[in-house]
Amino acid sequence: MRTLKAVSFDVGWTLTYPIESMWEIYARLCTESGVPTTAADCEQLVRSLWSSGQEQAHERFRNGASYSDSDAEFAGLFVQMSHMIFGRAGLGERLAELSQRFFEAFWNEGTWQLFPDTIEVLRELRARGLRVGVLSNAPSNLRDMLEHFGLLPHLDFAVISAIEGVKKPDRRIFERVLERAGVAPHEVLHVGDMFLEDVAGAGAAGIHSLLIERGERSLFPSFPESAGRSLPPGAVVRTLRDVVRAIDEQG
């Protein structure tokens, strides 16, 4: 990374995290509806179904699939997830209501907060002369959330999938990062928490990446994203401070 000029970060579970995890929200809604459920139950169910489709998802990616996005498509992903969880709990007749309650509880400014290392590291990287931005699979109101968290003054660009109409791992959205940052692929580092979307997607665009695993504040806290990936040493970090150290070690 000797020619590094820019760093892009995913947002959810990388720079920010939900105070009440999505699994805790699902479990609470099930329990309040008369079906006692734990967050671990919800995480296990979705991860099992997600894992069963991973080979197909990677094959689709390798075959050059394109990935569109919009606010409706983003919300639709959570409707599918809600169908899995509420349907398995026998609450299918209340799917529309419970899905809406989940989305309202999960995706709002009051639910999310910054990791303690976020602003400090963004400031430091920009002080070094690097262009810093975000690349996130998220709805169009993410920009409002970035403003709410006070992040916009620390960013040089923001690439948001629902606004762009394309999402990770599609190489086109990584190319938007290159355009906004004004850099070549070998001059940017991408940091994110999902292997397919962040690591494989960046790699297909010729961009170096780091996989960040935030432990209990990860999307799937019981299932490390790096497990079984055979990633090279140094390809996985735990904090944004680790990202700075990785840049220094390669510099």
Side-chain angles (χ1 to χ4, degrees):
M1 290 184 272
R2 292 181 182 279
T3 58
L4 188 67
K5 294 182 179 179
V7 184
S8 65
F9 293 95
D10 182 34
V11 177
W13 300 282
T14 299
L15 301 181
T16 68
Y17 66 92
I19 302 167
E20 183 180 25
S21 77
M22 67 166 62
W23 316 122
E24 291 168 335
I25 297 172
Y26 274 125
R28 174 169 56 81
L29 291 173
C30 286
T31 300
E32 289 174 354
S33 299
V35 183
T37 307
T38 68
D41 291 335
C42 296
E43 180 190 4
Q44 175 68 54
L45 172 61
V46 173
R47 182 70 182 200
S48 295
L49 295 173
W50 177 87
S51 296
S52 67
Q54 276 299 283
E55 182 53 42
Q56 183 178 2
H58 282 267
E59 183 66 21
R60 181 169 172 254
F61 172 70
R62 289 191 293 266
N63 288 336
S66 59
Y67 302 80
S68 64
D69 204 15
S70 64
D71 287 341
E73 288 173 282
F74 179 83
L77 293 174
F78 292 98
V79 171
Q80 294 176 21
M81 195 179 303
S82 295
H83 185 78
M84 295 178 198
I85 294 174
F86 297 133
R88 182 67 62 90
L91 296 167
E93 74 283 355
R94 297 180 57 191
L95 177 61
E97 170 212 345
L98 291 173
S99 295
Q100 183 64 27
R101 286 177 61 189
F102 166 80
F103 196 73
E104 290 173 355
F106 174 70
W107 190 255
N108 69 78
E109 295 172 350
T111 300
W112 292 75
Q113 70 179 35
L114 296 175
F115 281 104
D117 53 4
T118 296
I119 289 182
E120 174 190 354
V121 166
L122 297 185
R123 282 175 174 163
E124 180 173 339
L125 293 176
R126 292 184 85 204
R128 296 182 179 200
L130 296 172
R131 294 162 202 157
V132 175
V134 297
L135 167 57
S136 181
N137 286 356
S140 56
N141 66 357
L142 176 63
R143 191 171 187 88
D144 295 332
M145 293 181 72
L146 296 175
E147 183 174 12
H148 169 78
F149 290 128
L151 286 178
L152 286 181
H154 305 288
L155 301 175
D156 298 296
F157 58 88
V159 179
I160 300 167
S161 62
I163 295 176
E164 303 297 327
V166 60
K167 66 183 178 182
K168 300 177 292 185
D170 198 308
R171 67 176 296 152
R172 291 174 297 170
I173 199 164
F174 287 95
E175 289 168 351
R176 307 283 169 87
V177 168
L178 302 179
E179 293 169 4
R180 308 285 165 78
V183 296
H186 67 277
E187 295 173 327
V188 60
L189 168 69
H190 177 67
V191 182
D193 68 306
M194 299 301 291
F195 178 79
L196 177 59
E197 288 81 356
D198 294 301
V199 177
I207 293 171
H208 184 68
S209 65
L210 291 172
L211 180 68
I212 190 165
E213 292 184 330
R214 290 290 200 166
E216 65 180 11
R217 294 300 186 184
S218 299
L219 172 58
F220 292 104
S222 301
F223 303 91
E225 186 68 7
S226 61
R229 303 292 189 188
S230 300
L231 292 169
V236 181
V237 295
R238 312 297 174 189
T239 69
L240 296 184
R241 181 53 53 189
D242 290 341
V243 173
V244 175
R245 280 191 282 269
I247 291 172
D248 289 340
E249 289 171 1
Q250 294 297 320

